[in-house]
């Protein structure tokens, strides 16, 4: 299953955010998991596959169940964003200095290091990118909520007004 996520979405995290947990609830119920796994062509007994990842008795899985390393890196990243900047979108403003809508791996690593990220920022970049050969990250790669917040920030600071 993890191989299918990587093949279809570039990384487990990209598969999680773009396919499994699109509502960003940080949990995926059994029925949704089974349907989403079927949608990407995972063969076999998908209920048994779900049980392999879910802790005993849980009717949902989390990213931590699927990949604890990716979960920890993302959790550390989220904590840094909230503590240092208030949100992903506000952190993005510090990373995307030129307001181009993307950052390179070098800019991402340098920016996170400057903010005090304790993990492997280059590895986090690889976890976040939706295609393994892509050398840029966009705010949307961090999730839909961050992108929506950025649109709201831009709307509040825009000098353009309709008549």
């Amino acid at each position: 299953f993890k191989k299918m996520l990587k093949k279809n979405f570039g990384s487990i995290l990209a598969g999680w955010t773009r396919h499994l947990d699109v509502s960003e609830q940080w949990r995926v119920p059994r029925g949704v998991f089974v349907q989403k796994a079927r949608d990407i062509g995972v063969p076999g007994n998908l209920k048994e596959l779900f049980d392999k990842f879910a802790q005993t008795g849980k009717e949902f899985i989390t990213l931590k169940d699927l990949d604890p390393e990716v979960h920890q890196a993302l959790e550390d990243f989220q904590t840094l964003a909230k503590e240092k900047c208030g949100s992903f979108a506000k952190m993005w403003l510090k990373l995307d200095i030129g307001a181009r809508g993307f950052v390179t791996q070098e800019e991402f690593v340098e920016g996170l290091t400057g903010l005090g990220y304790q993990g492997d920022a280059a590895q986090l970049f690889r976890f976040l990118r939706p295609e393994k050969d892509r050398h840029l990250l966009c705010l949307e790669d961090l999730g839909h909520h961050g992108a929506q917040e950025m649109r709201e920030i831009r709307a509040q600071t825009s000098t353009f007004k309709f008549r």
Side-chain angles (χ1 to χ4, degrees):
F1 178 71
K2 291 179 185 183
K3 287 180 184 176
M4 294 289 283
L5 287 177
K6 287 179 182 178
K7 177 183 174 205
N8 285 289
F9 302 100
S11 70
I12 291 171
L13 182 56
W16 177 264
T17 58
R18 291 175 174 231
H19 184 66
L20 290 172
D21 184 31
V22 295
S23 63
E24 295 185 21
Q25 298 298 309
W26 297 107
R27 55 197 290 166
V28 176
R30 176 187 297 274
V32 172
F33 175 87
V34 168
Q35 183 59 51
K36 297 287 188 164
R38 186 174 289 124
D39 290 349
I40 61 171
V42 177
N45 186 328
L46 301 177
K47 290 180 181 180
E48 284 182 12
L49 178 63
F50 176 88
D51 290 337
K52 176 183 169 192
F53 292 116
Q55 295 176 3
T56 307
K58 279 192 343 186
E59 286 300 312
F60 61 88
I61 64 164
T62 64
L63 181 59
K64 186 176 184 177
D65 298 325
L66 198 58
D67 192 319
E69 179 185 12
V70 170
H71 166 78
Q72 188 61 55
L74 187 60
E75 190 171 89
D76 293 346
F77 181 54
Q78 287 177 318
T79 299
L80 180 72
K82 287 182 182 176
E83 288 178 358
K84 297 285 184 165
C85 306
S87 69
F88 274 146
K90 290 176 183 171
M91 176 185 268
W92 185 260
L93 293 171
K94 293 180 183 265
L95 299 176
D96 183 17
I97 296 168
R100 299 170 300 178
F102 64 87
V103 294
T104 65
Q105 181 172 343
E106 182 180 321
E107 292 165 338
F108 183 80
V109 169
E110 185 179 310
L112 286 188
T113 301
L115 289 169
Y117 184 70
Q118 297 297 310
D120 182 343
Q123 181 65 41
L124 178 61
F125 181 92
R126 290 188 292 277
F127 288 155
L128 289 167
R129 68 183 175 187
E131 295 96 26
K132 72 177 187 174
D133 295 333
R134 197 167 86 177
H135 303 287
L136 306 169
L137 277 181
C138 300
L139 180 61
E140 289 78 10
D141 298 328
L142 306 182
H144 308 295
H145 292 305
Q148 177 61 34
E149 183 187 355
M150 180 58 78
R151 284 190 286 277
E152 291 168 8
I153 289 170
R154 287 185 180 143
Q156 291 171 0
T157 60
S158 175
T159 57
F160 179 79
K161 295 188 180 183
F162 290 101
R163 295 180 191 229

